[in-house]
Amino acid sequence: MMKTLDFEVLRGLTDALLAAKKPAEVASRDQINKGKSVNANKPESGAMEKTFQIDPIQVDLLLGKAYSDWGHVSDAVSVYDQLISSYPDDFRGYLAKGIILKENGNIGDAERMFIQARFFAPFKAKALVDKYSR
């Protein structure tokens, strides 16, 4: 059985691991980026295995957030740069980079990221981009 793992669950797990000061357990995107599924539980004999597909963009966004929360801004920006390079038509990398640049006083570069994010954002996400770009 294949399901999509809800982003809120993934974010909750990330926040819990950060709160528990277990950052090494957060950064497990390599397995996901290689297209492997994450087992939800180990199947018992005769039980059906449940696996979840995780959006690698969401994983990178969470990794960038984790770096930012730890005070490693340059590492977070690097993750977002890699995300933008790998998925240039996805607005989320531009938005995340714009937010962190704005938070750290780099307003000019942040504005450029917000312009890119708004350009690539689907209609229903443009308001989200506008919210953070103000």
Side-chain angles (χ1 to χ4, degrees):
M1 171 189 295
M2 188 72 70
K3 293 184 177 185
T4 302
L5 185 60
D6 184 72
F7 181 66
E8 294 302 318
V9 172
L10 190 58
R11 182 176 11 189
L13 175 61
T14 300
D15 290 344
L17 290 171
L18 289 173
K21 301 195 183 308
K22 296 182 178 181
E25 294 180 29
V26 174
S28 61
R29 70 181 174 146
D30 291 337
Q31 175 187 11
I32 295 163
N33 284 342
K34 290 177 184 172
K36 295 181 180 175
S37 298
V38 175
N39 288 330
N41 57 1
K42 294 192 179 201
E44 298 184 20
S45 60
M48 187 182 231
E49 180 178 343
K50 293 180 183 177
T51 58
F52 296 92
Q53 292 289 49
I54 299 175
D55 180 359
I57 295 171
Q58 292 175 338
V59 172
D60 283 345
L61 290 171
L62 287 174
L63 180 60
K65 180 186 179 314
Y67 280 134
S68 176
D69 288 352
W70 299 331
H72 296 269
V73 174
S74 62
D75 290 330
V77 170
S78 178
V79 169
Y80 298 143
D81 283 338
Q82 182 180 356
L83 185 60
I84 290 167
S85 176
S86 298
Y87 303 95
D89 295 338
D90 194 295
F91 79 101
R92 296 173 288 180
Y94 299 104
L95 178 59
K97 185 175 178 184
I99 291 168
I100 197 166
L101 291 173
K102 183 179 177 183
E103 288 174 349
N104 288 281
N106 197 339
I107 305 301
D109 288 338
E111 286 301 318
R112 284 188 281 285
M113 290 297 107
F114 292 136
I115 290 168
Q116 289 290 91
R118 190 162 207 309
F119 178 79
F120 290 114
F123 179 75
K124 63 183 180 180
K126 290 191 188 298
L128 178 68
V129 174
D130 291 341
K131 173 185 170 186
Y132 285 104
S133 66
R134 292 187 183 131

